[in-house]
Each structure stands twice: as structure tokens, then as C-alpha cells.
Amino acid sequence: MTAQPSKATEECFEGASRAIFKFNMALDDIILEPLAKGYNKLPSPVRSGTSNFTSNIGTLLSIPNNILQGNLKQLGHSVGSFAVNSTVGILGFLNPAERMGLKPHKEDVGQTLGSYGIGPGCYFVLPVFGPTTVRDSVGLIADTFVDPFAHVTIRENELLGASGNSLDYYSVKGTSAVDFRADNDKNFESLEKNSIDLYSSLKSIYLQDRENKIKNSIDDQDEWGSLDN
């Protein structure tokens, strides 16, 4: 696959998105920021172990997306990393896989769609979930259908009446969000302080980050393909 030249992403309902953005910022001030600051006061081994654990579970979503992208190189990294960290790494609280050279990229359905040349569509902001595009919002829903962790928690319970616990799924996702917010606390404070328009700044960061991740996915596939030639 080859990367397509990027085009400016149009806005959908900018007025509504800005209003939702203000709501999300208020939610951040009241809930997420205090949790993140408290989390950062925990001992370093606790923070590191928690981050490793949620990251290891997050690797499960990469596995089906690597398959959908035909990216066998990253599939090997994802499967190998999850297997090593879940066993030797004590359920993922340690990260020996990284020391072994296994460094899986985080892949989701939005990235997979992008790797197939599907454009982002227009940009908007969702309550709680934050910035997204039409492609990534579709991917967000699809993630819960291809993510093995979602299947053993929320999906099997809904579809098969199994004993999956949806609280496990949302607890891990919530902890992952707090971990991400805590890890980027200083960067966010600097951005909030120095941005003339925080909404536009975060929009630019989000779109650039997604474009870079999709480009990396495509480059990985191209690199693997070149080894076969």
C-alpha cells in the first residue's frame, strides 16, 4: 500500500463541537485532571505496572487489525508481546517483551480503514470521547466487535448470555484514560497555557497524530511487502 497525500479535514457542526469541547474540558477539570494528578503521586512502580497492564490488554486490539491490514510483521510483535508479558511479565504488569525487542504498534479499526485509503471524513467532537472523525467514530464502534478483550467482557455477555463482566472492560478503559492523562499532564498544561485557541490546537494535534499512525501502518506493510520481493 502507498500513502495518499493528506487533505485538510473539514469540520462537521463546529458550533456544536465547540460546545461539547467546553463540556469535556469542564469534565476534565472536575474529574480527569484531579484523578491524573493523584495518579502521578503514586509510587513509580505502581504507575509503571498499571500502565504496562492496560497497554498489554490494549495490544489485543492490534492483533485482529494487523490481520486485517495484512501486516504479518506487526502481528508477530503483537502476539509475541502479549504472550510474553501475560506470562513472564505477570499478567502484563511487567514488560519483558520490550527488552526482547518486541514493540507492537497500537492499531485500531480507524487506522485499518485509513490504511485502505478511506479518508477521515469530517471532524467533530464527541461527549467524553473527545476529538474524532467520521472514519474514526465508525472505527470506535467497530473496535468493540474485533477486540478480543471486548468479546470476553461485554460482547459475549450481550450476544451469548455468557458470564462476561462489562465492568472489567470499562474499568480498564477508564484506567487507561487516566494513565494517558497523567502521562501527558505537563504537556496539556503547557498547551492550555500557550494556545490562543485550545480547541483548534487539540484538533490539529489529533488529526496529525492519526495521520502519522496511519502512515506508520502503511509503511510497516510496505516494508513487509518489500521483504517478499
Side-chain angles (χ1 to χ4, degrees), residues 54-75:
T54 57
S55 180
N56 187 53
I57 291 179
T59 301
L60 284 170
L61 177 59
S62 299
I63 293 173
N65 280 289
N66 289 145
I67 295 172
L68 291 170
Q69 294 173 19
N71 191 339
L72 300 183
K73 175 184 176 181
Q74 274 298 314
L75 176 62

Side-chain angles (χ1 to χ4, degrees), residues 136-168:
D136 290 344
S137 60
V138 170
L140 187 65
I141 297 170
D143 284 340
T144 66
F145 288 92
V146 302
D147 185 356
F149 183 60
H151 273 282
V152 299
T153 52
I154 56 175
R155 288 298 173 196
E156 284 191 5
N157 191 36
E158 292 175 1
L159 300 177
L160 304 176
S163 58
N165 187 350
S166 60
L167 181 61
D168 293 338

Side-chain angles (χ1 to χ4, degrees), residues 20 30 45 62 66 86 95 97 122 151 184 186 200 216:
I20 294 170
I30 296 170
S62 299
N66 289 145
S86 297
N95 188 11
C122 59
H151 273 282
N184 290 278
K186 296 297 182 183
S200 296
N216 287 339

Side-chain angles (χ1 to χ4, degrees), residues 11 14 17-18 20-26 28-29 33 123 125 131 181 184-207:
E11 286 255 13
E14 182 175 353
S17 287
R18 284 185 177 272
I20 294 170
F21 174 76
K22 289 181 179 179
F23 167 80
N24 287 346
M25 289 300 299
D28 179 82
D29 291 340
E33 183 179 4
Y123 172 90
V125 178
R181 180 64 173 80
N184 290 278
D185 189 44
K186 296 297 182 183
N187 292 335
F188 190 79
E189 285 182 359
S190 176
L191 185 66
E192 194 171 13
K193 179 180 178 181
N194 297 310
S195 293
I196 297 175
D197 183 358
L198 184 59
Y199 173 88
S200 296
S201 296
L202 288 175
K203 171 189 172 183
S204 178
I205 290 170
Y206 173 81
L207 292 175

